[in-house]
Amino acid sequence: MTFSGWLQIILFCAIVLALVKPLGAYLTAVLGGGRIWLSPVFRPIERGLYRLAGTREDEEQHWLAYTLAMLAFSLVGFLALYAIQRLQGVLPLNPAGMVNLPADLAFNTAASFVSNTNWQSYGGESTMSYLTQMAGLTVQNFVSAATGIAIAVALIRAFARKSVKTLGNFWVDMTRATLYVLLPLCIVLTLVYVALGVPQTLGAYVSAKTLEGADQVIAVGPVASQLAIKMLGTNGGGFFNANSAHPFENPGALVNMIQMVSIFAIGAALTNVFGRMVGDERQGWAILSAMGLLFIAGVAVCYWAEAAGNPLVHALGLDGGNMEGKEARFGIALSALFAVITTAASCGAVNAMHDSFMALGGMIPLINMMLGEIVVGGVGAGLYGALLFVVVSIFVAGLMVGRTPEYLGKKIEAKEVKMAMLALLILPLVMLGLTAVAVVLPTGVASMANPGPHGFAEVLYAYVSAAANNGSAFGGLSANTPWYNTTLGLAMLMGRFLMIVPVMALAGSLVTKKTVPASAGTFPTHGPLFVGLLIGVIMIVGGLEFFPALALGPIVEHLATVAGQTF
Amino acid sequence: MTQSRSSSLLDPSILFPALGGAFRKLDPRSLARNPVMFVVAVVSVLTTVLFVKDLAVGAENLGFSFQIILWLWFTVFFANFAEAVAEGRGKAQADSLRRTRTETEGKLIGADGKSFKLVPGTSLKVGDLVLVEAGDIIPSDGEVVEGVASVNEAAITGESAPVIRESGGDRSAVTGGTQVLSDWIRVRITAAAGSTFIDRMISLVEGAERQKTPNEIALNILLAGMTLIFVFAVVSIPSFASYAGGSIPVAVLVALFVTLIPTTIGALLSAIGIAGMDRLVRFNVLAMSGRAVEAAGDVDTLLLDKTGTITLGNRQATEFRALRGVPENELADAAQLASLADETPEGRSITVLAKEKYNIRARDMGTLNATFVPFTAQSRMSGVDLDGSSIHKGAVEAVLRHVGNGAGSEAVRELQSIADEIAKAGGTPLGVAKDGKLLGVIYLKDIVKGGIRERFAELRRMGIRTVMITGDNPMTAAAIAAEAGVDDFLAQATPENKLDLIREEQAKGKLVAMCGDGTNDAPALAQADVGVAMNTGTVAAREAGNMVDLDSDPTKLIEIVEIGKQLLMTRGALTTFSIANDIAKYFAIIPAMFLAFYPQLGALNIMGLASPQSAILSAIIFNALIIVALIPLSLKGVAYRAVGAGALLRRNLLIYGLGGIVVPFVGIKAIDLVITALGLA
């Protein structure tokens, strides 16, 4: 580990922290429904959209109506995206002449983008037409992120409001999040990326003659615009197969830093939105502190593991850290940092091959995703995931002060515990269940590139990434097979929607409750004690069940490597 | 009381029957009430069946599997045992009570009010008068209408020291089944057979259909959820192992599963609930439901009656304030003479003050040839006539009216200003006049109970607001409220504004507790979240409340709140402990489980356990024994301290959270050493 490596990590944290308050204030204003400085530009469009859809924006929804609206919207998006992929060969904007996708791949990709996962079983530049990329994938990049924000805001309102039945209007929340937050930020970011050397064109791929005189087709396209939303919406689906390791998708250190910051920006700011809306910003900071400590710990382990390097390679007389699968222009510190950020935040964009990380270095991204990506997390999804753990922490610890547990004055009772546990059950069920099937099924094993614990880790990583809606991959697995396309697609849909429904039911129950005023008998949820408790519960309730799987994957691989053994 | 509580914890007369009870609770219908233990029982049956199959084919490692199965069953058994012990403590009392109830005979007093005839206790009706003499068992619940007696209430309270029960006052209620030790009392029966306190207690402690409280249900859901999560974790292992080229015996998987799921709290949960109710019973408080006990822990606002709770029952004279030119001695002397025949507590306190402060000895009315002028509602004064002179004392206005214009306007003004001063300070002024001349004022004061201020400070630290309820005027109420240190007061209280106050607090989301005894308290008792009716109180009040205090001691509200908090805390602490235990169990079992095909994982055996088999056995033995080790804690409850929620949480997290992580490391290692030494694995 180097001083400059840590300096860059600290610089990243400082920028994200500096953005939390201003962005939080802006998001609060947008989602509160008031006028903001962009209103003169976007308000007419917003009103036009509502008129077109027949939505009455002042009509608030009950939790079930909100949830059904979200599900219907996602279903339509899913079907549209599936259709575009199946028909892209006959649709316009296809200069590279891409053919229609097979059913399993189209299903997988549609599930992937609707669930904000962006798992890519395909290589973008060799599979997707411009139309599919822009009208299909990029649209979902926006609206799936906006959906996440909408769900998070509905849950925040459940804590902030008292004794009412409604949580807001899904259509309004989703529209405003897209129109006032994602769209303007992406326009600015796109221009910045273009200025820094990222291509943005609808022209055909460029042909070039190499020095050896061979012909090379260089893929280009509307990269910058998709890059902007890929990061900001924690989508992670790269325009190119190599994702943010590709020189066109991540030309240098400055673009790299902007990408990393934009992954965390909205997720971190939403904790501040939470604090503001419940009337006590410290509550938001407490949650962000717990996230931040878990993040720093992850970065430290990952960076340490990568910087320490591979003892098997050292034995051959090659000193230094592990540079396999890393871009020289980013180096070890920024690759490790990027890997932790992208898995902490449900993004899934990569600037290095996670498969080539050291066993422990690769274990950190795995753990981040297993915990449900609540370390800052995907836009919206991170906050509502973290609030599930808050509910469980409050319930267990709140009892220890001798009262019916309450959070922000809302009593946590049987219904809330039930919904929180239901939501928390989904991830281990999908991640462990599907991995268990895949590693004994001949079709599953056939796709593995590596034997032994590392091969196991690749399959585990795939299902963990899919269920957590991350989308990054341990590259060794050939996932573009009917088995993996189908099961991973299902994992993504379950990890997203089977989690959201109980979260919304939780919100529906909380919003109807009275708010008990705080007293000396209610324990404070903004102090270090609560932060420590939350971290403990996240690790024990959210993490312990994965210990056997981790032991059989990265941990045994690490111990074997240290002992000089390969598989 | 503490003594009897701790001694009965390990009482063999409870422990032995509990062993039998633990076996009876193996009934699947009884097990199904507890999701965690039901799951343990199911996997125990599964492994037992597999074991029998293995036995038939003569598989290897049978001794090891047998030990695991044994400890699995012990885990279920210990959980049943914990519940049986908790129930047994109440049941033992109920059994002895039921015996006394059937054998009791009552001495029913006849219409003449003197003669009595022996009738069976169960035939007594509400309103019947009975005589109970030394050695008799009181036949049914009732109220003492005449006499004083010492009563042994050990049968219901477990407290062997006798208590005094007397007519009038707040100790007039007696409970059927208790025994009069000395003297005699006449008792008016207030409960018919089948609805007495003992009947209710029997149904409460024996009710196998005990309702789960809301918080208990929520906790059960959490535990069921955790259990499911670990089902996923364990069920996926065989497939992971088969990929790695190994296989894991079912007994080992079951051992891992049972040690990971929250068996500790699952086993003790119902014992904690039963013990909480039991603690109240031992405190002479009968809760109609577990829900009420839980609500007590959540109380935000406590409504306390001034008289009897905050102040001693009666006002007392604390000072004589003479007018200018009147010697204090003269005033004291006159006041004492006027009070000699006054048997009210106020009157008695005046003679006491005169003696203590002015050394004026009590005199005898007869030898003084004095005539007492009793208090009437019209005169609002009392007094004495002797040797041709007459002394009057009473309400200041009444005394002024009595003396009329005889006193100078100067003296009237002075008397009035002294009286106002006293009223402002929360006291009651009594004017004294002798032969039409104003002498001065007696300062009657409400005496705030010793230590009550500290109790209120403690409640404030617990986050509970106290509101004093009094019929006094606002000025007096404010002064007493300030002296006692309550947070707020309701002066000139009526049943209506009391009810309004409760509704107002509840609208703010607060939980309110109060106690009351009169029929006009009934609406407020019913409205309050925790309504404690005094046993001496009217039937209406007792029906309206959700708790009955047998001692009729309103101060107990504070202890009731503490018991409620203790119940919730004990659940939280043991849940935390149970979950935190998992870390050590993983480190014991995971390396042992996978060692055969991944020897590298031996590095995770940080406890240095002797062999894979001893590691797995130690973990499951620890898991079973910790249940037994924690039974006393679950029955006694985690100590509550009024230190504020933050400090309390820090303390409990340290003990049960951090302790929960560390203790199993030590315990499993110790068990490993023992079973290795014994050659069990």
Side-chain angles (χ1 to χ4, degrees):
Chain A
M1 291 190 275
T2 62
F3 175 71
S4 79
W6 274 109
L7 202 64
Q8 295 175 80
I9 292 167
I10 291 166
L11 179 67
F12 164 78
C13 296
I15 297 174
V16 170
L17 282 179
L19 285 174
V20 167
K21 259 182 101 82
L23 199 52
Y26 179 72
L27 281 166
T28 311
V30 168
L31 297 163
R35 272 187 76 79
I36 40 169
W37 60 275
L38 278 175
S39 293
V41 187
F42 287 110
R43 184 67 188 150
I45 306 175
E46 189 191 353
R47 246 197 296 232
L49 284 172
Y50 297 146
R51 238 195 315 275
L52 212 63
T55 305
R56 287 192 46 197
E57 59 177 311
D58 52 351
E59 203 170 74
E60 294 233 327
Q61 292 167 315
H62 185 252
W63 78 266
L64 197 57
Y66 198 102
T67 313
L68 289 176
M70 183 277 301
L71 288 174
F73 179 72
S74 300
L75 179 67
V76 171
F78 173 85
L79 294 174
L81 183 52
Y82 182 81
I84 293 177
Q85 293 177 85
R86 299 282 282 156
L87 300 172
Q88 68 171 3
V90 296
L91 291 172
L93 276 179
N94 188 7
M98 301 295 180
V99 295
N100 295 342
L101 268 67
D104 62 314
L105 183 57
F107 164 75
N108 180 280
T109 308
S112 169
F113 279 75
V114 168
S115 64
N116 196 249
T117 310
N118 291 27
W119 171 271
Q120 292 168 295
S121 274
Y122 61 90
E125 65 272 43
S126 55
T127 320
M128 300 296 182
S129 73
Y130 286 170
L131 182 82
T132 312
Q133 293 261 25
M134 295 195 315
L137 306 183
T138 310
V139 167
Q140 282 305 321
N141 278 351
F142 274 96
V143 293
S144 68
T147 300
I149 295 176
I151 300 295
V153 165
L155 183 58
I156 295 174
R157 289 194 188 115
F159 282 106
R161 297 177 172 184
K162 31 183 130 165
S163 312
V164 294
K165 288 204 169 66
T166 58
L167 292 163
N169 184 313
F170 170 74
W171 307 109
V172 173
D173 289 336
M174 204 268 302
T175 308
R176 289 185 73 92
T178 311
L179 219 50
Y180 293 90
V181 183
L182 298 174
L183 209 56
L185 279 174
C186 281
I187 291 172
V188 174
L189 282 169
T190 304
L191 294 175
V192 172
Y193 287 141
V194 169
L196 290 171
V198 179
Q200 176 77 11
T201 173
L202 290 179
Y205 291 174
V206 179
S207 293
K209 275 250 185 281
T210 64
L211 287 175
E212 294 89 12
D215 282 318
Q216 188 186 359
V217 178
I218 297 172
V220 289
V223 185
S225 58
Q226 198 184 321
L227 179 59
I229 188 60
K230 152 189 154 190
M231 296 306 182
L232 199 65
T234 61
N235 295 289
F239 189 89
F240 299 110
N241 194 25
N243 210 301
S244 281
H246 193 291
F248 283 174
E249 206 161 325
N250 196 352
L254 189 53
V255 174
N256 191 59
M257 181 60 86
I258 296 173
Q259 292 193 18
M260 291 193 297
V261 169
S262 46
I263 296 175
F264 264 12
I266 294 181
L270 275 171
T271 60
N272 187 253
V273 174
F274 175 69
R276 282 173 195 270
M277 286 178 119
V278 301
D280 182 3
E281 280 190 62
R282 295 174 307 174
Q283 304 292 348
W285 288 114
I287 294 177
L288 188 60
S289 306
M291 293 171 165
L293 287 171
L294 285 167
F295 173 70
I296 296 291
V299 171
V301 173
C302 189
Y303 184 24
W304 164 79
E306 296 308 306
N310 191 334
L312 296 175
V313 176
H314 294 169
L316 301 173
L318 297 166
D319 285 338
N322 173 31
M323 274 302 287
E324 181 193 313
K326 293 188 178 64
E327 288 289 303
R329 64 186 188 283
F330 304 128
I332 291 173
L334 289 184
S335 299
L337 178 62
F338 201 108
V340 178
I341 294 170
T342 196
T343 50
S346 163
C347 179
V350 293
N351 76 349
M353 288 300 290
H354 292 184
D355 197 28
S356 296
F357 275 29
M358 298 306 301
L360 291 187
M363 186 173 77
I364 296 302
L366 256 177
I367 292 177
N368 272 338
M369 296 185 290
M370 286 166 167
L371 295 179
E373 288 168 341
I374 37 69
V375 177
V376 179
V379 286
L383 183 67
Y384 65 68
L387 285 173
L388 291 175
F389 281 109
V390 168
V391 166
V392 174
S393 309
I394 290 287
F395 182 73
V396 174
L399 282 178
M400 278 198 290
V401 302
R403 282 175 73 91
T404 296
E406 60 208 30
Y407 183 55
L408 305 173
K410 299 276 188 175
K411 281 205 156 71
I412 306 296
E413 291 168 303
K415 179 96 186 272
E416 289 72 41
V417 174
K418 190 192 289 172
M419 291 310 154
M421 287 314 285
L422 267 181
L424 291 176
L425 278 174
I426 294 305
L427 292 187
L429 172 66
V430 175
M431 291 171 177
L432 294 172
L434 288 174
T435 306
V437 177
V439 293
V440 290
L441 217 64
T443 353
V445 180
S447 289
M448 292 155 82
N450 293 289
H454 195 73
F456 175 75
E458 286 171 357
V459 176
L460 180 66
Y461 195 106
Y463 287 109
V464 166
S465 170
N469 298 143
N470 184 275
S472 68
F474 260 15
L477 188 73
S478 312
N480 190 6
T481 65
W483 162 259
Y484 280 107
N485 277 337
T486 311
T487 51
L488 288 170
L490 288 173
M492 293 184 267
L493 293 175
M494 289 195 280
R496 174 81 164 180
F497 298 106
L498 288 188
M499 187 142 171
I500 286 181
V501 174
V503 165
M504 288 302 297
L506 170 71
S509 166
L510 282 172
V511 78
T512 58
K513 299 201 169 204
K514 281 191 262 189
T515 301
V516 185
S519 73
T522 37
F523 85 84
T525 50
H526 56 257
L529 187 66
F530 176 72
V531 172
L533 171 77
L534 181 57
I535 292 176
V537 169
I538 289 173
M539 296 306 291
I540 291 182
V541 177
L544 267 191
E545 64 264 31
F546 296 106
F547 191 67
L550 290 173
L552 292 174
I555 293 177
V556 74
E557 187 189 350
H558 166 76
L559 292 170
T561 311
V562 171
Q565 193 191 356
T566 55
F567 289 89
Chain B
M1 182 159 279
T2 32
Q3 210 177 10
S4 72
R5 199 183 300 173
S6 56
S7 66
S8 64
L9 260 185
L10 294 170
D11 189 345
S13 69
I14 288 168
L15 293 185
F16 289 115
L19 286 174
F23 275 110
R24 277 193 297 279
K25 284 175 187 288
L26 288 174
D27 180 344
R29 280 166 300 179
S30 148
L31 281 172
R33 284 170 50 80
N34 183 337
V36 176
M37 295 324 293
F38 184 71
V39 168
V40 177
V42 167
V43 295
S44 302
V45 170
L46 174 76
T47 38
T48 311
V49 170
L50 287 176
F51 177 75
V52 173
K53 203 188 91 195
D54 284 353
L55 205 61
V57 300
E60 337 180 311
N61 264 339
L62 283 176
F64 172 64
S65 308
F66 177 73
Q67 289 189 65
I68 288 186
I69 291 164
L70 201 65
W71 284 101
L72 286 175
W73 283 113
F74 272 139
T75 310
V76 180
F77 181 78
F78 289 156
N80 290 347
F81 179 67
E83 195 179 273
V85 170
E87 286 172 354
R89 297 171 74 201
K91 211 175 247 173
Q93 300 165 355
D95 283 348
S96 68
L97 269 165
R98 186 183 279 126
R99 270 196 304 280
T100 60
R101 186 183 57 173
T102 47
E103 291 161 5
T104 309
E105 289 195 314
K107 295 171 177 171
L108 181 66
I109 296 172
D112 62 352
K114 287 203 174 65
S115 67
F116 62 82
K117 59 174 184 208
L118 276 177
V119 296
T122 48
S123 73
L124 289 168
K125 296 185 297 294
V126 175
D128 283 351
L129 271 183
V130 292
L131 175 70
V132 192
E133 292 170 301
D136 291 351
I137 303 277
I138 297 171
S140 187
D141 293 2
E143 192 177 358
V144 181
V145 291
E146 195 184 344
V148 184
S150 63
V151 179
N152 179 0
E153 295 194 336
I156 43 167
T157 61
E159 172 64 64
S160 53
V163 292
I164 300 295
R165 293 285 178 248
E166 59 187 327
S167 61
D170 55 3
R171 300 224 159 218
S172 64
V174 288
T175 308
T178 57
Q179 189 181 27
V180 171
L181 295 179
S182 67
D183 306 291
W184 58 269
I185 43 178
R186 281 178 184 220
V187 175
R188 187 191 300 117
I189 300 300
T190 56
S195 64
T196 63
F197 168 65
I198 292 165
D199 294 313
R200 281 194 224 157
M201 194 167 84
I202 289 169
S203 69
L204 266 174
V205 295
E206 289 200 324
E209 72 287 356
R210 191 178 70 90
Q211 294 287 311
K212 283 201 185 108
T213 59
N215 177 265
E216 210 176 342
I217 293 170
L219 191 51
N220 258 319
I221 292 171
L222 178 85
L223 300 181
M226 303 275 312
T227 306
L228 262 180
I229 286 179
F230 287 115
V231 168
F232 304 149
V234 173
V235 164
S236 58
I237 289 178
S239 134
F240 296 170
S242 117
Y243 165 81
S247 78
I248 294 162
V250 174
V252 173
L253 286 171
V254 167
L256 175 67
F257 173 65
V258 169
T259 50
L260 290 182
I261 63 175
T263 46
T264 315
I265 178 66
L268 297 173
L269 190 55
S270 64
I272 295 169
I274 297 166
M277 297 277 278
D278 189 49
R279 264 198 299 283
L280 271 182
V281 171
R282 273 151 202 278
F283 226 74
N284 274 1
V285 174
L286 179 65
M288 302 304 167
S289 70
R291 184 186 285 260
V293 186
E294 251 170 36
D298 283 350
V299 161
D300 302 283
T301 307
L302 218 51
L303 304 190
L304 296 165
D305 276 326
K306 183 197 81 174
T307 309
T309 311
I310 296 169
T311 61
L312 296 172
N314 306 297
R315 287 170 296 195
Q316 292 183 1
T318 55
E319 212 179 317
F320 297 119
R321 294 237 182 124
L323 294 186
R324 235 170 312 167
V326 179
E328 262 185 52
N329 259 336
E330 188 185 338
L331 171 63
D333 186 66
Q336 192 236 30
L337 283 172
S339 308
L340 279 177
D342 182 355
E343 280 301 317
T344 64
E346 285 91 350
R348 261 177 289 178
S349 79
I350 293 171
T351 54
V352 169
L353 181 70
K355 184 180 168 190
E356 283 177 353
K357 210 162 166 193
Y358 301 94
N359 218 7
I360 301 169
R361 293 179 53 82
R363 285 159 283 193
D364 185 66
M365 294 283 282
T367 53
L368 284 175
N369 221 351
T371 350
F372 180 57
V373 183
F375 177 90
T376 66
Q378 283 78 35
S379 70
R380 293 173 66 209
M381 291 188 301
S382 63
V384 66
D385 289 324
L386 79 167
D387 302 336
S389 71
S390 75
I391 305 172
H392 285 92
K393 74 164 205 292
V396 170
E397 301 85 69
V399 172
L400 285 178
R401 199 177 51 231
H402 169 72
V403 298
N405 295 328
S409 59
E410 183 70 15
V412 171
R413 254 202 310 280
E414 199 189 345
L415 190 85
Q416 254 161 354
S417 89
I418 295 174
D420 284 350
E421 205 179 295
I422 290 171
K424 224 173 267 174
T428 309
L430 281 185
V432 181
K434 185 175 182 181
D435 300 329
K437 180 191 167 204
L438 291 172
L439 294 181
V441 183
I442 303 170
Y443 187 166
L444 286 183
K445 198 175 172 187
D446 262 317
I447 304 298
V448 172
K449 279 186 177 176
I452 200 86
R453 210 186 157 82
E454 289 70 34
R455 289 306 290 276
F456 290 147
E458 199 176 283
L459 284 169
R460 206 166 299 122
R461 283 197 299 277
M462 285 157 73
I464 295 171
R465 217 166 69 90
T466 44
V467 180
M468 180 181 86
I469 308 289
T470 173
D472 292 341
N473 64 53
M475 207 199 283
T476 312
I480 296 168
E483 191 183 343
V486 291
D487 297 307
D488 204 352
F489 63 87
L490 177 68
Q492 284 159 348
T494 61
E496 292 76 35
N497 61 21
K498 223 162 157 178
L499 192 60
D500 290 343
L501 177 69
I502 294 175
R503 290 208 173 116
E504 214 173 279
E505 291 284 310
Q506 285 172 335
K508 286 188 246 167
K510 294 181 174 180
L511 260 63
V512 182
M514 69 163 288
C515 53
D517 48 9
T519 302
N520 56 14
D521 281 334
L525 277 172
Q527 179 71 32
D529 302 280
V530 177
V532 183
M534 302 294 107
N535 197 37
T536 49
T538 61
V539 175
R542 280 165 68 160
E543 293 296 315
N546 48 15
M547 291 191 195
V548 175
D549 176 15
L550 293 172
D551 293 337
S552 304
D553 172 8
T555 332
K556 255 195 214 162
L557 211 45
I558 299 169
E559 275 89 4
I560 292 172
V561 168
E562 284 185 4
I563 288 174
K565 286 193 176 298
Q566 211 183 11
L567 174 70
L568 295 174
M569 270 171 55
T570 309
R571 281 191 197 137
L574 290 181
T575 307
T576 308
F577 185 84
S578 191
I579 295 173
N581 270 330
D582 279 359
I583 297 173
K585 292 168 184 168
Y586 263 129
F587 278 100
I589 295 185
I590 292 290
M593 206 169 183
F594 299 140
L595 206 65
F597 45 96
Y598 282 144
Q600 300 90 342
L601 285 174
L604 293 181
N605 181 8
I606 52 175
M607 284 174 270
L609 304 177
S611 70
Q613 297 202 339
S614 77
I616 293 164
L617 264 181
S618 306
I620 189 124
I621 293 175
F622 174 84
N623 193 58
L625 291 184
I626 196 73
I627 295 173
V628 181
L630 289 173
I631 290 177
L633 181 68
S634 63
L635 297 186
K636 239 182 359 199
V638 170
Y640 180 78
R641 286 154 193 252
V643 288
L648 201 60
L649 181 67
R650 188 172 307 117
R651 187 188 138 83
N652 285 334
L653 265 184
L654 208 66
I655 298 176
Y656 301 100
L658 220 55
I661 294 174
V662 176
V663 166
F665 277 103
V666 179
I668 291 174
K669 177 68 184 172
I671 295 170
D672 178 71
L673 291 175
V674 172
I675 60 175
T676 312
L678 293 175
L680 290 172

